Amino acid sequence: MKIGKVLLCTSYLHSPPNNPLAHRPYKEQAIATLNRLDQVLATQPFIAGDRFTVADITALAGLAFGGACQITIPETATHLQVWHDRMQQRPSFSA
């Protein structure tokens, strides 16, 4: 899986502001990627396996950037939300 798909909202941000239909494919793909991350996190504690890696850092950055585009963790993505909450507790998150 390519974590970079979460960053699709760059196109979302630069699509015509008065055309919500232009935004739809980017937002749908970003949400699908978040749901896929949720599936991954249902079977392991971190994005790339059993330990914290740059993949987790990248996903956190993608989620932060997605928030700026009104793309948030879906309510049904409980594993992703638990992971995100855990990541926010890391000392480096608030540094």
Side-chain angles (χ1 to χ4, degrees):
M1 175 199 327
K2 295 181 181 177
I3 280 297
K5 286 185 178 181
V6 175
L7 297 178
L8 280 171
C9 75
T10 55
S11 297
Y12 176 83
L13 281 175
H14 296 292
S15 60
N18 296 326
N19 186 356
L21 292 177
H23 298 214
R24 185 179 302 153
Y26 303 109
K27 187 169 185 174
E28 288 173 356
Q29 192 166 4
I31 296 297
T33 300
L34 294 175
N35 285 323
R36 176 68 180 118
L37 283 174
D38 184 62
Q39 293 173 347
V40 168
L41 290 166
T43 63
Q44 58 196 42
F46 298 99
I47 301 291
D50 292 329
R51 62 188 183 92
F52 182 77
T53 67
V54 70
D56 297 284
I57 296 167
T58 303
L60 280 168
L63 285 169
F65 192 68
C69 302
Q70 292 79 45
I71 298 172
T72 58
I73 297 172
E75 288 184 22
T76 57
T78 56
H79 303 288
L80 179 58
Q81 186 62 59
V82 167
W83 168 86
H84 189 254
D85 293 345
R86 241 183 331 117
M87 295 301 102
Q88 289 180 325
Q89 298 304 313
R90 295 180 66 88
S92 58
F93 186 83
S94 60

